[in-house]
Amino acid sequence: MQSTLQFGPILAHFDLLLLGLAYTFQLAVLSILFGTVIGVLGAVARSFGPRPLSWLVGAYVEIIRNTPLLIQLYFVFFSLPLFGLKLSSNMAAIVALSIHLGAYATEILRAGIASISQGQIEAAKALGLGPYRIIRHVVLAPAVRAVYPALTAQFILQLLGTSIVGAIAAEELTAIANNLVMQTFRSFEVYILIAVIYFALVQLASLVFAGIARLLFRWKSS
Amino acid sequence: MSLRDFGPNELMFLLLATRWTIMLALIAFVGGGALGLVIAAARIAPARPLRWLALGYIQFFMGTPILIQLFMAYYGASLLGFRPDPWFAAALTFCLNAGAFFGEIFRGAITAIPKGQWEASATLGFRFLRTLRLVIIPQAMRLMLPPTVGFMAQIVKTTSVASLIGLTELARAATQVNTVTFQPVMVFGTVSVIYFALCWPLSLYAARLEGRLAGHVIRKPALPAA
């Protein structure tokens, strides 16, 4: 029976915590990067692609957004080896998280694209801009600006979402925490500490995103 | 290779486990909804300490992973001398967590009501809670409804993490069936369909409500045909 909180035994394993933190960070950054790329491609395909492609992207968005991340993770981790794709839990986690964020990013960016008035595109055409430059400068740039808050909120959810990949034995922060619990038997203290670390990560990410917004859009952080 | 094939029995097992997913989601929805009203009220209350407390609450539950909150509830119970029970920990965590999100949803709707309504109520001699209950919330209901329905779908999906403390709901039943059948595509495909069937109607309804609201409250220009 534990009666007092003791953090000493946990902090003795500080190196393990740092390892978990580094892995969580890597997972978040890579999946946000890949997820955003999927989102940009998906949103453009959904908005301007031929109907079957647009429909397909729509199905992807709806399926991913209406099923749990944990099940998507299991699906990738357990199914892909059957098709000859041997994935480490690390790779499976990145694949599943990227596909997950990709769907949300697609929907968010699609909404941004929908807010661009048709006249802007016609004006760009009249100026003789090619489709690539129209999409890049006339559509995507203002669309990203319009949905930036929603997009970064989703990035933060993604950061928190990485916590469940311990379920397929990927060694991120939460999995490290569970290991520490087994070593030190100070379960409550470990989870308090891990919560503090995640909280700090989230605050840091919010600051970084606000800073990026200020640089890119000359926004005042709210 | 596998102990069993994925058949009607396994499907039945998954469908039966679905009721615990639904049960947990309902508990979270009702408990979290009630708590959310309190949090939202505290968030805009005249007393400053109350506002800070509510803000801290929301920051904690929105700024840390729900899985960690779940572990804290599960192992924190043993610290208080309880024998940890997954249902207790899950119900508690999901209510507290949903309370924070509902609190923000409700606060958003409440603060969208024009300030004049508060001033008029003050003129009538209404105090804070009375104004909230009789004047503000009835008007804010329409604004609250779409995100609330949307968040219900979110809750259903999130209950899946309760499997990680050993609660046998749909996600855990799925891993169990996968272990004996070793047919992950079939198993997780089926489970995805079940979750989808639970969440999609909610998402669609939320989107419809939102569209209706947008048409009435904020007059948006018609989208260009893309």
Side-chain angles (χ1 to χ4, degrees), chain A residues 1-5 47-48 62-72 74-75 78-79 82-83 104 114-118 156-157 159-161 163-164 167 174 177-178 181 187-189 191-192 194-196 198-200 202-203, chain B residues 1 59-60 62-68 71-73 75-81 101 153-154 156-158 160-161 163-164 170-171 174-175 178 182-185 188-189 191-193 195-197 199-200 203-204 223-226:
Chain A
M1 182 67 24
Q2 306 165 356
S3 50
T4 54
L5 295 178
S47 306
F48 304 111
E62 289 301 316
I63 289 170
I64 297 297
R65 293 207 313 159
N66 287 293
T67 54
L69 172 58
L70 185 61
I71 299 296
Q72 293 157 16
Y74 286 147
F75 203 114
F78 291 111
S79 307
L82 294 187
F83 301 105
Y104 285 88
S115 73
I116 309 292
S117 86
Q118 196 67 27
I156 297 223
L157 286 179
L159 172 60
L160 294 176
S163 64
I164 70 165
T174 307
N178 290 334
V181 168
S187 46
F188 199 49
E189 291 92 328
Y191 294 121
I192 289 179
I194 298 292
V196 169
Y198 273 112
F199 191 78
V202 166
Q203 302 307 317
Chain B
M1 194 167 90
Q59 288 275 318
F60 171 75
M62 288 177 117
T64 59
I66 188 162
L67 183 57
I68 296 294
F71 284 143
M72 282 173 88
Y75 294 103
S78 73
L79 197 72
L80 297 171
F101 282 87
Q154 184 69 36
V156 173
K157 286 183 291 169
T158 316
S160 63
V161 301
S163 65
L164 300 179
L170 187 49
T175 58
N178 184 49
F182 207 66
Q183 288 175 285
V185 178
F188 296 113
V191 169
S192 299
V193 169
Y195 274 111
F196 190 80
C199 295
W200 204 44
S203 301
L204 281 181
L223 294 178

Side-chain angles (χ1 to χ4, degrees), chain A residues 109-118 120 139 142-144 146-147, chain B residues 221 223-224:
Chain A
L109 289 167
R110 187 203 57 75
I113 289 176
S115 73
I116 309 292
S117 86
Q118 196 67 27
Q120 294 283 326
V139 175
V144 167
V147 297
Chain B
L223 294 178

Side-chain angles (χ1 to χ4, degrees), chain B residues 15-63:
Chain B
L15 286 174
L16 282 175
T18 307
R19 73 199 144 129
W20 300 122
T21 289
I22 295 173
M23 177 83 95
L24 186 56
L26 283 178
I27 292 174
F29 182 68
V30 173
L35 193 60
L37 275 180
V38 177
I39 299 291
R43 194 83 165 71
I44 55 164
R48 190 172 290 177
L50 219 52
R51 291 206 298 266
W52 284 344
L53 215 64
L55 182 65
Y57 180 92
I58 287 170
Q59 288 275 318
F60 171 75
F61 280 101
M62 288 177 117

